[in-house]
Structures are given as structure tokens and as C-alpha cells.
Amino acid sequence: LYLSTLVSLNSSEKKDVERNIKAGITRLQLFQTYEGGFSYWPGESYESEWGTNYAGNFILEAELAGYRLPSNMKSKWIKYQKDKAINWTMDNGLKKRKQASTQLIQAYRLYLLALCDNSEVGAMNRLREEKNLSTTAKWRLASAYAIIGQKEAAEEIVKGVSTSVSGYRELSFGYGSGLRDRAIILETQGVLKKKEAFQTVKEIAGILSSERWLSTQETAYSLLSIAKYCKANGGESSSKMSYSIGGAAS
């Protein structure tokens, strides 16, 4: 979806991109359950909460880019997400990491609902008042407030909140890691037009350029957040730079 923001594509490559995106949308129908959420594997009858957010994020971005979605896919997903958002409660008996993932799933859900003009402000306010809200959940929730025009509330949520995330790797449930969460924070920094976002871009880009193994989540969110930053700050022109080899500048 955002590849053309990062690299120049010829006509053949653009056709490949379009074909792949359409195929991805079609395949997602195999994951959508009767209730409207998305399962982790095709054909399963129960939903993955993070997978429902992740797939929903893709179909919303695809629609914004001009792609047509299958009949009722989006409306069923919205109904499912709104029901989950309204009825969400924090289980304080969970371990700290599971709590953080649960909070982030709800914040992500609320962000996506705001993105498609179906915000649940009551649920947003309840999450905002949650004690010990995790760093990443605060940033993600702030982006929801910013999208619906409540910029002051968004700024208040992240006032003094760090952009650093301790290293961790979650192999199920929320599929998170320190890098994945930094990328989510970068996306919110972009929405809020934070000048510090450029430093986050450089740090994430440095990791992407390394030989380090990255999960699908890490790669996807890192590229998404950087692409959105580039698009908001000049698109392809922001990739132009000067350099020197052996003292000769170019």
C-alpha cells in the first residue's frame, strides 16, 4: 500500500502491487468470522483480537487508497469492533506484560474506529482513565483523540511520556516487541506532528538496515510508520540527500 512512498515503481511494478493488494483483500474473506472479527488461521470460528485489529487496519488503509472491499466486510468488522470496544474491561489479575498487551489491543481498536469515522468516545475516555496505562497504549490512544479533532486531549495523554520501550518479544496474543511498539509510537508522533519523530525514524531505519532478524509485525509496522512519515513530509523528495565518496560531493 505504501511502497510507492518509499521507492519509485515502474508501470509493471505498480500493476504487481495492485494485483497483490486485491488478492490480499480477497484472501482475508477466509479469515472473517460470522461475528465480523478475523481469525488467526483461515476458516477458524473464533477471533484473534490482535489479528482483527491488524486485518482491519489493512482494509481501512486499502479503502483509503481507493481499493474496493467485499460487500459487508467492513460493516461487519466495525460492528464487531464497536461491541468489543464498548464492553472492554481491564482484568487486573493479569500479569504486567499481558495487561500492557490487552490495553494496547483496546487502544488500537479505538484508533481504528476513529480512523473510519466510527469513534467510541466513551470507551476512549474510560481507557484514558485506566490506572497504569502502558506507554504504547497511551501513544496509540492519543492518535485516536487526534484523529477525531481532540488534539489537546491527545497532547495531554502523551505529555512527558517516553518514546522508549523496553525490549521484549511476545510470540502470541499481541505479537509485540520493543521495535514494533516504537513503530506504533512513531506513527502517533507523525499524527501529532512531533519534531522528535525524525529521530525515531532514523533509529527504526537503522534497525531495518541491519542484519538483525525481524518478525512480520516489526517489519510491517516499521515500514508503515516510516512510509507515513515520508508521505506527510514530502513523499519521495524526502529520500533525496547529498553524499560524498573520497572527498567528492554529489
Side-chain angles (χ1 to χ4, degrees), residues 171-221:
L171 301 178
S172 62
F173 192 59
Y175 307 96
S177 70
L179 175 59
R180 197 280 307 273
D181 289 4
R182 285 296 306 281
I184 289 175
I185 291 171
L186 170 58
E187 189 177 353
T188 304
Q189 285 181 305
V191 171
L192 297 178
K193 302 186 185 305
K194 297 285 189 181
K195 62 181 181 180
E196 300 87 356
F198 182 61
Q199 181 60 37
T200 310
V201 168
K202 289 198 298 181
E203 292 171 3
I204 293 176
I207 295 172
L208 285 173
S209 300
S210 71
E211 295 298 319
R212 171 176 160 181
W213 179 87
L214 300 176
S215 70
T216 299
Q217 289 281 312
E218 289 172 327
T219 303
Y221 282 98

XYZ file of all heavy atoms in Angstrom, residues 171-221:
401
model
N 5.272 -13.861 21.576
C 5.093 -14.816 20.483
C 3.637 -15.181 20.217
O 3.345 -15.972 19.319
C 5.900 -16.084 20.771
C 7.408 -15.877 20.949
C 8.092 -17.189 21.279
C 8.023 -15.235 19.704
N 2.734 -14.606 20.992
C 1.304 -14.860 20.786
C 0.514 -13.671 21.312
O 1.096 -12.677 21.752
C 0.876 -16.145 21.508
O 1.083 -16.020 22.907
N -0.777 -13.736 21.261
C -1.713 -12.747 21.782
C -1.575 -11.389 21.088
O -2.337 -11.082 20.193
C -1.580 -12.599 23.299
C -2.702 -11.806 23.920
C -4.008 -12.221 23.795
C -2.445 -10.635 24.633
C -5.051 -11.488 24.361
C -3.474 -9.908 25.203
C -4.777 -10.340 25.064
N -0.582 -10.574 21.503
C -0.394 -9.269 20.890
C 0.761 -9.213 19.914
O 0.942 -8.216 19.202
N 1.591 -10.260 19.879
C 2.711 -10.408 18.928
C 3.643 -9.197 18.936
O 4.192 -8.811 17.910
C 2.178 -10.668 17.514
C 1.216 -11.825 17.481
C -0.159 -11.603 17.545
C 1.672 -13.137 17.424
C -1.057 -12.676 17.563
C 0.787 -14.212 17.428
C -0.569 -13.968 17.500
O -1.449 -15.012 17.521
N 3.819 -8.609 20.127
C 4.581 -7.377 20.198
C 6.064 -7.548 20.446
O 6.564 -8.637 20.696
N 6.764 -6.419 20.366
C 8.192 -6.339 20.689
C 8.512 -4.870 20.903
O 7.704 -3.990 20.579
C 9.046 -6.904 19.552
O 8.996 -6.053 18.419
N 9.688 -4.606 21.411
C 10.079 -3.220 21.608
C 10.088 -2.436 20.310
O 9.610 -1.297 20.255
N 10.609 -3.027 19.241
C 10.669 -2.340 17.948
C 9.279 -2.117 17.376
O 8.973 -1.024 16.874
C 11.521 -3.140 16.960
C 11.578 -2.595 15.532
C 12.133 -1.167 15.505
C 12.412 -3.512 14.636
N 8.431 -3.129 17.427
C 7.067 -2.970 16.904
C 6.354 -1.818 17.607
O 5.695 -0.986 16.970
C 6.300 -4.281 17.100
C 5.011 -4.447 16.264
C 3.808 -3.724 16.818
N 3.505 -4.011 18.217
C 2.756 -5.009 18.639
N 2.234 -5.861 17.782
N 2.516 -5.153 19.946
N 6.529 -1.754 18.919
C 5.874 -0.696 19.677
C 6.466 0.678 19.368
O 5.743 1.674 19.319
C 5.966 -0.995 21.172
C 5.071 -2.158 21.586
O 4.452 -2.780 20.705
O 5.000 -2.450 22.802
N 7.782 0.754 19.146
C 8.396 2.032 18.751
C 7.819 2.517 17.430
O 7.607 3.716 17.228
C 9.918 1.877 18.611
C 10.701 1.783 19.883
C 10.643 3.032 20.751
N 11.032 4.268 20.059
C 12.287 4.633 19.823
N 13.301 3.855 20.194
N 12.540 5.782 19.226
N 7.552 1.589 16.526
C 6.973 1.951 15.236
C 5.557 2.497 15.404
O 5.157 3.450 14.724
C 6.963 0.743 14.297
N 4.788 1.912 16.320
C 3.444 2.419 16.606
C 3.542 3.827 17.194
O 2.751 4.718 16.840
C 2.710 1.465 17.563
C 2.341 0.165 16.832
C 1.456 2.122 18.138
C 1.728 -0.896 17.721
N 4.507 4.034 18.070
C 4.723 5.355 18.648
C 5.098 6.364 17.571
O 4.612 7.497 17.559
C 5.809 5.292 19.747
C 5.272 4.517 20.966
C 6.269 6.691 20.159
C 6.326 4.197 22.014
N 5.946 5.948 16.630
C 6.330 6.829 15.527
C 5.109 7.261 14.715
O 4.997 8.434 14.337
C 7.339 6.121 14.606
C 7.649 6.836 13.282
C 8.193 8.240 13.524
C 8.626 6.013 12.462
N 4.207 6.334 14.459
C 3.007 6.691 13.695
C 2.215 7.783 14.415
O 1.728 8.725 13.795
C 2.132 5.453 13.480
C 0.986 5.701 12.511
C 0.170 4.458 12.233
O 0.557 3.356 12.684
O -0.870 4.581 11.562
N 2.116 7.670 15.737
C 1.408 8.690 16.506
C 2.184 9.997 16.529
O 1.596 11.082 16.448
C 1.154 8.210 17.947
O 0.444 6.979 17.917
C 0.338 9.236 18.720
N 3.507 9.919 16.631
C 4.322 11.137 16.558
C 4.054 11.878 15.255
O 4.005 13.105 15.227
C 5.803 10.787 16.659
C 6.278 10.412 18.051
C 7.768 10.097 18.074
O 8.244 9.245 17.333
N 8.493 10.787 18.941
N 3.880 11.113 14.187
C 3.571 11.722 12.903
C 2.209 12.392 12.903
O 2.052 13.518 12.394
N 1.213 11.715 13.465
C -0.141 12.281 13.544
C -0.124 13.594 14.340
O -0.791 14.566 13.972
C -1.113 11.277 14.203
C -2.465 11.933 14.485
C -1.307 10.057 13.309
N 0.664 13.618 15.414
C 0.740 14.799 16.278
C 1.778 15.811 15.796
O 1.972 16.842 16.438
C 1.061 14.380 17.712
C 0.011 13.507 18.405
C 0.481 13.114 19.809
C -1.327 14.220 18.488
N 2.442 15.478 14.685
C 3.452 16.363 14.093
C 4.564 16.721 15.088
O 4.976 17.881 15.225
C 2.810 17.637 13.535
C 1.739 17.361 12.486
C 1.230 18.623 11.848
C 0.086 18.358 10.890
N 0.403 17.381 9.843
N 5.043 15.705 15.778
C 6.126 15.895 16.728
C 7.458 16.012 15.984
O 7.788 15.162 15.144
C 6.197 14.709 17.698
C 4.976 14.530 18.582
C 4.951 15.563 19.685
C 3.870 15.278 20.703
N 3.825 16.301 21.772
N 8.245 17.028 16.318
C 9.525 17.208 15.639
C 10.507 16.091 15.989
O 11.437 15.805 15.240
C 10.131 18.562 15.973
C 10.440 18.776 17.446
C 11.008 20.170 17.678
C 11.358 20.389 19.154
N 11.912 21.752 19.383
N 10.264 15.454 17.152
C 11.139 14.352 17.562
C 10.950 13.106 16.705
O 11.730 12.151 16.804
C 10.869 13.993 19.031
C 11.115 15.116 20.021
C 9.902 16.019 20.208
O 8.884 15.794 19.495
O 9.966 16.944 21.035
N 9.924 13.102 15.862
C 9.629 11.927 15.037
C 10.796 11.577 14.116
O 11.059 10.400 13.858
C 8.367 12.157 14.205
N 11.518 12.582 13.641
C 12.617 12.315 12.715
C 13.694 11.460 13.360
O 14.260 10.577 12.725
C 13.222 13.622 12.204
C 14.335 13.411 11.211
C 14.108 12.762 10.000
C 15.626 13.839 11.493
C 15.139 12.558 9.087
C 16.656 13.638 10.589
C 16.410 12.997 9.387
N 13.968 11.707 14.631
C 14.959 10.895 15.336
C 14.480 9.458 15.458
O 15.254 8.504 15.305
C 15.218 11.480 16.734
C 16.255 10.718 17.548
C 17.617 10.681 16.887
O 18.043 11.656 16.265
N 18.309 9.554 16.992
N 13.188 9.269 15.710
C 12.619 7.921 15.782
C 12.723 7.231 14.432
O 13.031 6.036 14.357
C 11.151 7.966 16.245
O 11.038 8.763 17.429
C 10.627 6.566 16.542
N 12.473 7.974 13.359
C 12.603 7.424 12.007
C 14.018 6.914 11.774
O 14.216 5.794 11.280
C 12.256 8.487 10.935
C 12.670 8.009 9.542
C 10.766 8.786 10.946
N 14.999 7.716 12.144
C 16.392 7.318 11.929
C 16.741 6.058 12.715
O 17.430 5.162 12.199
C 17.333 8.464 12.332
C 17.300 9.651 11.382
C 18.520 10.541 11.543
C 18.613 11.138 12.921
N 19.804 12.027 13.069
N 16.268 5.979 13.944
C 16.568 4.816 14.780
C 15.936 3.548 14.210
O 16.579 2.491 14.143
C 16.076 5.069 16.201
C 16.871 6.159 16.926
C 16.244 6.548 18.254
O 15.221 5.933 18.640
O 16.762 7.483 18.907
N 14.686 3.645 13.798
C 13.998 2.477 13.246
C 14.601 2.090 11.902
O 14.805 0.900 11.613
C 12.490 2.753 13.109
C 11.858 2.890 14.502
C 11.791 1.637 12.326
C 10.388 3.265 14.493
N 14.916 3.084 11.076
C 15.525 2.804 9.772
C 16.873 2.108 9.952
O 17.238 1.222 9.165
C 15.697 4.096 8.983
N 17.616 2.504 10.978
C 18.900 1.869 11.245
C 18.753 0.393 11.560
O 19.547 -0.444 11.113
N 17.705 0.046 12.309
C 17.454 -1.356 12.633
C 17.015 -2.123 11.387
O 17.465 -3.247 11.142
C 16.394 -1.467 13.743
C 16.941 -0.858 15.042
C 15.996 -2.922 13.979
C 15.904 -0.741 16.148
N 16.171 -1.501 10.571
C 15.723 -2.150 9.334
C 16.900 -2.431 8.401
O 16.880 -3.414 7.647
C 14.703 -1.270 8.609
C 13.295 -1.200 9.191
C 12.470 -0.152 8.443
C 12.598 -2.553 9.134
N 17.896 -1.578 8.448
C 19.056 -1.718 7.558
C 20.096 -2.698 8.088
O 21.058 -3.016 7.385
C 19.719 -0.351 7.342
O 18.820 0.568 6.763
N 19.901 -3.157 9.303
C 20.883 -4.055 9.907
C 20.625 -5.505 9.504
O 19.681 -5.804 8.784
C 20.811 -3.923 11.435
O 19.603 -4.499 11.933
N 21.471 -6.392 10.012
C 21.312 -7.820 9.738
C 20.429 -8.509 10.785
O 20.298 -9.724 10.791
C 22.695 -8.499 9.724
C 23.597 -8.026 8.592
C 23.014 -8.332 7.230
O 22.458 -9.429 7.049
O 23.087 -7.453 6.344
N 19.845 -7.730 11.630
C 19.014 -8.266 12.712
C 17.765 -8.954 12.167
O 17.137 -8.464 11.232
C 18.628 -7.119 13.645
C 17.605 -7.453 14.700
C 17.395 -6.246 15.618
N 16.146 -6.315 16.341
C 15.715 -5.386 17.185
N 16.475 -4.322 17.406
N 14.566 -5.508 17.808
N 17.412 -10.093 12.760
C 16.176 -10.780 12.379
C 14.980 -9.988 12.877
O 14.958 -9.517 14.016
C 16.132 -12.188 12.982
C 14.870 -12.923 12.633
C 14.633 -13.680 11.528
C 13.645 -12.945 13.391
N 13.349 -14.175 11.533
C 12.714 -13.741 12.663
C 13.236 -12.374 14.597
C 11.417 -13.985 13.109
C 11.938 -12.608 15.047
C 11.055 -13.404 14.305
N 13.983 -9.815 12.016
C 12.789 -9.068 12.383
C 11.544 -9.909 12.120
O 11.465 -10.629 11.117
C 12.692 -7.768 11.564
C 13.841 -6.775 11.711
C 13.635 -5.603 10.766
C 13.968 -6.290 13.146
N 10.576 -9.793 13.001
C 9.314 -10.503 12.812
C 8.467 -9.779 11.767
O 8.751 -8.637 11.380
C 8.538 -10.561 14.133
O 8.051 -9.270 14.482
N 7.406 -10.426 11.313
C 6.477 -9.799 10.375
C 5.911 -8.514 10.970
O 5.812 -7.485 10.287
C 5.322 -10.760 10.047
O 5.859 -11.930 9.443
C 4.318 -10.120 9.104
N 5.528 -8.562 12.242
C 4.976 -7.382 12.910
C 5.988 -6.235 12.915
O 5.642 -5.089 12.628
C 4.594 -7.741 14.344
C 3.376 -8.632 14.470
C 2.079 -7.874 14.325
O 1.894 -6.841 14.947
N 1.188 -8.373 13.499
N 7.227 -6.547 13.250
C 8.249 -5.500 13.314
C 8.481 -4.869 11.945
O 8.535 -3.640 11.813
C 9.550 -6.087 13.860
C 9.483 -6.432 15.339
C 10.695 -7.189 15.830
O 11.271 -7.980 15.047
O 11.070 -7.016 16.996
N 8.604 -5.703 10.932
C 8.846 -5.188 9.584
C 7.656 -4.374 9.082
O 7.813 -3.264 8.559
C 9.122 -6.349 8.610
O 10.233 -7.110 9.092
C 9.440 -5.829 7.224
N 6.462 -4.919 9.261
C 5.255 -4.261 8.746
C 5.035 -2.890 9.385
O 4.850 -1.881 8.685
C 4.041 -5.153 8.973
N 5.062 -2.833 10.700
C 4.782 -1.561 11.360
C 5.917 -0.555 11.172
O 5.665 0.655 11.090
C 4.497 -1.780 12.846
C 3.110 -2.295 13.101
C 2.887 -3.648 13.298
C 2.006 -1.441 13.109
C 1.600 -4.141 13.506
C 0.727 -1.925 13.317
C 0.526 -3.271 13.513
O -0.731 -3.761 13.717
